[in-house]
Amino acid sequence: MQPVNLFKLASQQSQWLAVRQSAIAGNIANVNTPGYGTAEIEPFEKVLDNKRVTLRATQQGHFGAGVTNAGFDVRNENGKNSVLPSENTVVLENELMKAGEVRRSYELNTAIVKAFHRMTMLSVKS
């Protein structure tokens, strides 16, 4: 087993959360775009498994609003499962719930890093 570097892990999760938030923001911005497929990012567990897939845009211009892959898999869902005539798969309520999850995850990540930093500083001072 390799040692776990908590600061590196927290940094990687922070980057993942930023990419996920960008994808969610892009989904919300394109909620009325006909034929737009919801952008979804790979789960963080897959990132920990080092299974990285590169970004592939399915339609030109959909990823131009600051969504970068940063080594994470961002995929677009097509409109086949859509019940809307525009074939748009974005559900605003789901995207807002995802944004709340990202905020809570980021707050937890920050709290863990702060606690670990305090613990490290106390052990150094002793």
Side-chain angles (χ1 to χ4, degrees):
M1 281 186 67
Q2 297 178 350
V4 176
N5 185 340
L6 183 65
F7 290 118
K8 182 178 178 183
L9 181 64
S11 174
Q12 192 173 17
Q13 185 185 28
S14 199
Q15 290 173 348
W16 178 83
L17 288 168
V19 171
R20 185 166 190 225
Q21 184 62 38
S22 294
I24 292 168
N27 291 341
I28 292 172
N30 288 293
V31 72
N32 292 323
T33 303
Y36 181 78
T38 304
E40 195 60 50
I41 188 167
E42 68 180 330
F44 190 64
E45 293 80 26
K46 284 189 179 181
V47 174
L48 294 177
D49 290 339
N50 291 325
K51 296 179 183 173
R52 300 246 167 79
V53 181
T54 59
L55 179 70
R56 185 176 63 108
T58 57
Q59 294 181 355
Q60 187 176 8
H62 281 175
F63 292 104
V67 177
T68 61
N69 65 347
F72 306 115
D73 179 23
V74 180
R75 58 182 158 44
N76 254 11
E77 296 176 1
N78 57 16
K80 293 178 184 173
N81 299 330
S82 177
V83 294
L84 301 172
S86 67
E87 295 184 359
N88 186 321
T89 62
V90 178
V91 179
L92 188 58
E93 292 82 5
N94 292 346
E95 299 305 313
L96 293 175
M97 287 177 28
K98 290 178 192 176
E101 291 172 9
V102 168
R103 180 186 57 82
R104 285 188 301 277
S105 296
Y106 189 75
E107 288 173 353
L108 178 61
N109 186 8
T110 304
I112 290 171
V113 169
K114 284 181 181 179
F116 189 71
H117 183 261
R118 277 193 304 266
M119 184 176 64
T120 304
M121 294 306 290
L122 286 174
S123 66
V124 171
K125 288 180 181 179
S126 298

